[in-house]
Amino acid sequence: MKKISAIILILVAVFGCTKLDDTLYDRILPSDYIADPNLKMSPIYAPMRDFLDWSGWWFAQEVTADAVVCPTRAGDWDDGGKWRVLHQHAWDNNTEAVNSMWSRFYGGIIEANKFIEEFTPEAGNEVIDEALAKAKILRAYYYYLLIDNYKDVPYVTEYLTADPQPRRNFRNEIFLAIVDEVEKAIPYVKPSTSKTGVTKAMAWSLLAKLYLNHAVYTGSVNPGYWVKAELVCDSIIGLGNYSLEPNVFAAFATNNENSSENIWVIPYDEDTYTGHNLHMRTLHYNSNRTFEMVVGPWNGFALVENFYNTYAENDFRHDWFLVGQQYTYTGEPLSDLGAGGLPLVFNPFIPSLVMGAGNTPQEIRMSGVRVNKFAVRRGAKADLSNDFPIFRLADVYLMRAEAKIRQGNNGDSDVNMIRNRAGLEDWSGVTLPMLLEERGREMVWEAHRRQDLIRFGEFNKAWWEKEASTPDRNVFPIPQWVIDSNPNIALDPISL
C-alpha cells in the first residue's frame, strides 16, 4: 500500500489543519513531538477536509439516496452524467465520486499507520498511550468508511513493512478488528470536550454506528450489538457534555464551533481551512443577492419533491430550505436575470432529472427546493466557516431509539425529543419505518441517508427518476485506477 499511495501521501501532506485541536504547527522541534505526540497527528485528520467536495464522500452518501438530486439544468450540471449515475444507481468504477473516496480514506490510514509506528508505547507514559489510542480510533474511522462504501478492502496496519500490492480482506473480519481496536483504545482517551479531536464521545459515536450497521457488515444479525449500541449512546448522553440546541439552526450556524449539540466536526474556515462549499452547489445564480454574497452560486442541487413533502407544514425544519418567491437581503422580490427577468420562485416540482430544450426557463433554472441548513451568513464567500458535524447529539438520540426498538423496547422518548424541538407533536409506538422517516428529516444534507436506507432495507427500491436497483448497488466498486495499480486487488478477498 505504501508504494501505491505515494501520490496520496504527497496530496495529504500539503494540507495544514489550523482549526484542529491536534494541530501540526510550522517548525515544531522533534523534542516537542516527543513531549506531545498529538502535535504530529494533523496529517491523519487532513483527508477529512475534502469530504464535502473533492473526495466525493458527501455526494456518494446523499445523491445516491432519495432526498437530494442534481438535475441537469439545460447546459449546466450535466458534467458527463456523473450526478445522474449516482442518483440512478448506474455508477461504475470510473465514476468520479467512486474514484475519489478511496484515496482520501487510505490517505488517512497511511498517516495513522505512520504515526503509530513512529511512537512506541512506554510504560507509564500516558501522553503517548493516549496519542496512540487516538490514532488507532482515527484509523478505525477510515476503515469504517471503507467497508461501508466498498465492502471488502485491504486491511493494512503497517507502514514501513506494508505490502505494496495487498489483497482485499473480508468486510466482516475488518468490522470485528476495528470494533475490537476502538473498544480497547477508548480507556486511554482522557475526558475532553474537544469537537475536532478524538474524544470518548467521538469514539463511542463511531462504535454506535458500527454496532447499528453490524448486520450489513457481517451478513447476520447479532442482537448483542443492539444492546451495545444502546449502552454507548447512554455513555455519550451520560457525560453531560452535550445538549440539544434550543432551535434547529444553532448546530449549523456560521459560528457553530462551540455548539452544545455537536460531538465531532470537520472544522472549516472561509479563508484558512476551506472546503465547505455546499451552498454554492444548491443556491441559484442570483441567490447572492439574498445573502449579499461576494460570489455567485452555481444553481445545482435540490431536494427531491417527494422527500420535501414528508415535512409537516408546522415543522420548524422548513427554515432549512428555500422555496417560493426569493428576495434580496433587504426584502425586495428577486428576479432571475438570466431568464428574462422572470420572478425567482423556487418550485418543489422538478419535471425531470435531465432537463432539456422542452422545459421552460422556470423549470430549468428555478425548479427544486434549495437547502440553507448550514446558514449562509451575510457577505458569504465561496467557502463557509460553518463546521460540518460528523457526529451530533440528535443523531445519538435517534440511534439509541433505533437500538431500543430493534430490541423490542420503546424508543418514543428519544424520538420525541427531536420532534418536539422541530415543533411537532409526540409520537406513540414509534416503529422502525417511522424512525427512518424522522431520521431522514432530521439528518438531511449531513451524509447519512445512503447508509440509513441500506440498513433499513430501502436503498434498492424505486424512487423519483430511479428504477429499483439490485443489492450489488449497496456498495461501490473498487476504482479502476486502483485495479490498474494493483492487480491483486481484483482477486478474491482473503481472511486477516
Side-chain angles (χ1 to χ4, degrees), residues 136-137 139-145 147 155 171-184 206-207 210 217 496:
K136 290 176 181 178
I137 291 168
R139 180 172 65 185
Y141 172 69
Y142 286 117
Y143 272 119
Y144 151 71
L145 296 179
I147 64 172
Y155 185 62
R171 173 160 69 170
N172 64 312
E173 296 182 0
I174 298 173
F175 164 80
L176 293 173
I178 61 178
V179 165
D180 181 65
E181 187 153 67
V182 175
E183 289 176 342
K184 289 179 177 177
L206 173 57
L207 283 177
L210 287 164
Y217 302 152
L496 294 176

Side-chain angles (χ1 to χ4, degrees), residues 269-418:
D269 183 89
E270 63 184 23
D271 296 314
T272 61
Y273 200 73
T274 57
H276 189 169
N277 64 4
L278 294 179
H279 64 309
M280 297 293 289
R281 295 180 177 278
T282 185
L283 296 179
H284 186 272
Y285 311 111
N286 301 134
S287 293
N288 59 324
R289 298 182 63 196
T290 299
F291 303 100
E292 296 193 341
M293 297 171 61
V294 299
V295 293
W298 306 327
N299 195 32
F301 292 28
L303 292 187
V304 175
E305 182 182 16
N306 292 340
F307 177 82
Y308 173 71
N309 288 339
T310 67
Y311 289 86
E313 290 186 8
N314 61 330
D315 193 323
F316 294 160
R317 292 170 295 196
H318 274 288
D319 290 342
W320 291 342
F321 311 123
L322 300 176
V323 64
Q325 173 67 54
Q326 298 302 292
Y327 298 88
T328 66
Y329 188 83
T330 56
E332 301 169 355
L334 267 177
S335 298
D336 185 343
L337 303 180
L342 292 169
L344 181 56
V345 179
F346 293 148
N347 186 341
F349 174 71
I350 305 173
S352 62
L353 187 57
V354 180
M355 304 175 69
N359 299 114
T360 66
Q362 294 99 317
E363 290 170 337
I364 292 174
R365 298 171 64 91
M366 306 179 206
S367 65
V369 174
R370 311 310 169 87
V371 182
N372 186 35
K373 187 173 187 178
F374 290 90
V376 180
R377 71 167 181 86
R378 183 182 185 183
K381 302 179 181 180
D383 292 278
L384 296 179
S385 292
N386 314 53
D387 293 346
F388 185 90
I390 298 295
F391 301 130
R392 65 182 176 96
L393 187 61
D395 189 15
V396 172
Y397 279 118
L398 292 172
M399 288 194 292
R400 188 169 71 170
E402 181 180 342
K404 290 176 180 178
I405 295 169
R406 290 189 184 276
Q407 294 176 73
N409 300 324
N410 186 288
D412 291 358
S413 61
D414 288 330
V415 177
N416 287 332
M417 291 186 70
I418 309 305

Side-chain angles (χ1 to χ4, degrees), residues 245-258:
E245 293 281 8
N247 67 74
V248 298
F249 255 127
F252 315 101
T254 299
N255 299 313
N256 64 339
E257 57 267 21
N258 295 316

Side-chain angles (χ1 to χ4, degrees), residues 154-262:
Y155 185 62
V156 181
T157 57
E158 302 84 21
Y159 178 70
L160 292 176
T161 60
D163 185 343
Q165 293 194 324
R167 294 272 294 272
R168 287 177 295 139
N169 300 107
F170 288 105
R171 173 160 69 170
N172 64 312
E173 296 182 0
I174 298 173
F175 164 80
L176 293 173
I178 61 178
V179 165
D180 181 65
E181 187 153 67
V182 175
E183 289 176 342
K184 289 179 177 177
I186 287 176
Y188 294 97
V189 178
K190 295 178 181 177
S192 170
T193 56
S194 167
K195 299 186 183 299
T196 57
V198 173
T199 64
K200 287 184 182 293
M202 173 272 176
W204 281 327
S205 298
L206 173 57
L207 283 177
K209 290 294 181 185
L210 287 164
Y211 294 153
L212 285 179
N213 288 285
H214 79 271
V216 175
Y217 302 152
T218 67
S220 61
V221 173
N222 181 343
Y225 283 120
W226 308 136
V227 177
K228 285 188 171 186
E230 182 179 354
L231 289 175
V232 292
C233 290
D234 286 343
S235 296
I236 296 166
I237 296 166
L239 286 172
N241 293 336
Y242 309 97
S243 60
L244 290 181
E245 293 281 8
N247 67 74
V248 298
F249 255 127
F252 315 101
T254 299
N255 299 313
N256 64 339
E257 57 267 21
N258 295 316
S259 169
S260 64
E261 185 167 334
N262 292 336

Side-chain angles (χ1 to χ4, degrees), residues 117-139:
E117 287 191 6
E118 185 169 350
F119 291 94
T120 304
E122 298 178 13
N125 193 325
E126 295 182 358
V127 174
I128 289 181
D129 287 345
E130 182 180 27
L132 288 172
K134 289 181 177 181
K136 290 176 181 178
I137 291 168
L138 285 170
R139 180 172 65 185

